[in-house]
């Protein structure tokens, strides 16, 4: 059995839909200052290029499924994306990129061996979500020719299920012989400001516009622990803090990524690649994890 596959890098990544608007509009929204998340994508592209992956796996916090954690086993994705959430500006986005069906199928195989709930799905009419499409565009994965594997967030799970789902994904990667970068596509705290909300700071992306002060404090605490590689301490606080705030998709994107990287044993240090910013009240940041510096993970 081939055990040479490895996770060569990982990141928590914002997919903030406002970043798909034109630069002029973003600057107007930002009181003359664009979002640092945009520059952060360029920094993340450099890390991905240096990692030399064969595949980029995206934990898509907008792809909600029920009953199973799904891995998209399509061979190729081509079309024009329109968001049903914000179609007035997120529409007409062309995409054309490859999938990685062999890794999706291997994830299901490993999960079935373990009595888990990961399954592969390759239906040609399965829609896209902008938590994947925005990253494909902003990170220029199409131009790089990198296959992309989207992974769902199963909504009728408790947080330990996401960790065990990630464990199966990590084992499948080890068996695959592939070099894989993991991207957890989503925010940290995820409470939106109301429709009649007035910004507290003239720079719309500024952190003080995150919905609640306690969310800012908690997000920054999690970021500090990520920088130290103390993912175990984040898990210790999950049920009473990060689950109740809550994080986007109940933290499925981060927890599945972490499970694949070794779970509680993971000590991969995180490097913020941009400012911590607001997106309609939610807390967003890009953080790169150096998996090669982690002696605790099994990947």
């Amino acid at each position: 059995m081939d055990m040479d596959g490895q996770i060569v890098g990982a990141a928590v990544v914002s997919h903030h839909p406002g970043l798909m608007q034109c630069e002029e509009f973003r600057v107007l929204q930002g009181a003359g200052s664009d979002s640092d998340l945009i520059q952060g994508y360029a920094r993340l592209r450099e890390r991905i290029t240096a990692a030399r992956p064969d595949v980029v796996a995206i934990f898509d916090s907008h792809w909600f499924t029920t009953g199973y954690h799904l891995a998209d086993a399509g061979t190729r994705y081509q079309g024009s994306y329109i968001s049903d959430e914000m179609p007035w500006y997120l529409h007409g986005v062309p995409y054309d990129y490859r999938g990685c069906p062999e890794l999706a199928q291997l994830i299901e195989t490993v999960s079935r061996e373990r009595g888990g709930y990961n399954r592969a799905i390759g239906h040609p009419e399965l829609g896209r979500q902008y938590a994947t499409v925005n990253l494909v565009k902003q990170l220029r994965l199409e131009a790089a020719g990198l296959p992309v594997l989207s992974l769902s967030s199963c909504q009728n799970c408790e947080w330990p299920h996401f960790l065990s789902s990630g464990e199966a994904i990590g084992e499948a990667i080890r068996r695959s012989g592939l070099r894989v970068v993991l991207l957890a596509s989503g925010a940290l705290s995820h409470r939106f400001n109301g429709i009649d909300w007035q910004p507290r700071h003239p720079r719309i992306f500024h952190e003080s516009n995150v919905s609640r002060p306690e969310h800012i404090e908690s997000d920054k605490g999690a970021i500090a622990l990520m920088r130290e590689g103390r993912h175990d301490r984040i898990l210790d606080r999950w049920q009473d803090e990060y689950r109740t705030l809550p994080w986007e998709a109940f933290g499925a994107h981060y927890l599945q990524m972490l499970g694949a990287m070794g779970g509680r044993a993971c000590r991969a240090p995180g490097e913020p690649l941009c400012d911590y910013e607001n997106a309609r009240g939610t807390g967003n940041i890009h953080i790169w994890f150096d998996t090669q510096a982690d002696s605790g993970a099994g990947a």
Side-chain angles (χ1 to χ4, degrees):
M1 183 181 294
D2 191 347
M3 301 290 284
D4 295 330
Q6 58 181 312
I7 297 167
V8 294
V12 170
V13 189
S14 171
H15 57 243
H16 174 16
L19 304 180
M20 297 295 282
Q21 294 174 318
C22 70
E23 181 178 0
E24 180 181 6
F25 186 75
R26 291 195 313 266
V27 169
L28 288 173
Q29 277 194 321
S33 177
D34 202 354
S35 167
D36 193 46
L37 292 164
I38 293 289
Q39 287 72 32
Y41 283 127
R43 299 167 195 136
L44 180 54
R45 284 198 301 270
E46 292 176 358
R47 300 301 193 285
I48 293 173
T49 298
R52 296 181 295 106
D54 300 309
V55 181
V56 173
I58 298 178
F59 296 97
D60 188 318
S61 58
H62 278 225
W63 184 16
F64 288 114
T65 52
T66 306
Y68 290 114
H69 314 279
L70 294 184
D72 196 326
T75 301
R76 191 173 195 95
Y77 308 102
Q78 295 173 289
S80 178
Y81 177 75
I82 179 169
S83 165
D84 55 2
E85 182 183 357
M86 285 159 284
W88 57 92
Y89 74 84
L90 193 50
H91 62 87
V93 181
Y95 58 86
D96 184 356
Y97 62 94
R98 290 187 292 148
C100 190
E102 61 272 22
L103 181 54
Q105 295 293 347
L106 187 52
I107 288 169
E108 174 170 343
T109 297
V110 171
S111 184
R112 285 185 180 275
E113 290 174 0
R114 298 177 171 211
Y117 301 99
N118 293 30
R119 297 293 184 267
I121 182 74
H123 199 292
E125 296 180 5
L126 187 63
R128 305 290 86 205
Q129 304 293 332
Y130 72 70
T132 290
V133 172
N134 283 10
L135 297 197
V136 168
K137 306 306 287 189
Q138 295 285 358
L139 297 174
R140 301 176 187 170
L141 301 180
E142 291 167 304
L146 282 170
V148 174
L149 172 64
S150 292
L151 299 148
S152 80
S153 299
C154 183
Q155 63 184 340
N156 58 320
C157 290
E158 298 298 330
W159 65 271
H161 293 122
F162 295 124
L163 286 173
S164 60
S165 169
E167 289 170 6
I169 292 166
E171 174 61 19
I173 290 170
R174 284 187 283 276
R175 295 187 193 180
S176 73
L178 297 168
R179 297 171 60 85
V180 181
V181 163
L182 305 177
L183 301 180
S185 179
L188 302 185
S189 62
H190 197 254
R191 182 184 179 90
F192 290 112
N193 289 319
I195 196 168
D196 55 356
W197 164 75
Q198 295 297 315
R200 290 183 287 269
H201 193 284
R203 275 190 57 208
I204 195 69
F205 306 112
H206 195 270
E207 66 178 50
S208 64
N209 288 327
V210 170
S211 59
R212 293 183 176 179
E214 59 267 31
H215 289 185
I216 299 172
E217 180 181 3
S218 180
D219 285 351
K220 288 191 170 184
I223 291 166
L225 290 172
M226 289 179 187
R227 292 181 73 128
E228 297 171 7
R230 294 311 304 263
H231 304 278
D232 57 327
R233 293 185 178 175
I234 293 177
L235 294 182
D236 287 341
R237 295 160 61 173
W238 194 271
Q239 186 65 32
D240 294 331
E241 183 175 348
Y242 307 118
R243 174 64 182 84
T244 57
L245 285 177
W247 282 16
E248 185 163 15
F250 305 118
H253 53 312
Y254 167 75
L255 291 169
Q256 286 179 285
M257 178 188 73
L258 181 61
M261 293 162 61
R264 183 173 290 277
C266 178
R267 291 293 183 272
E271 177 189 0
L273 298 182
C274 65
D275 295 337
Y276 168 70
E277 291 190 339
N278 156 74
R280 194 67 196 188
T282 68
N284 289 257
I285 194 169
H286 308 320
I287 302 180
W288 175 258
F289 298 100
D290 184 358
T291 57
Q292 306 307 299
D294 174 28
S295 60

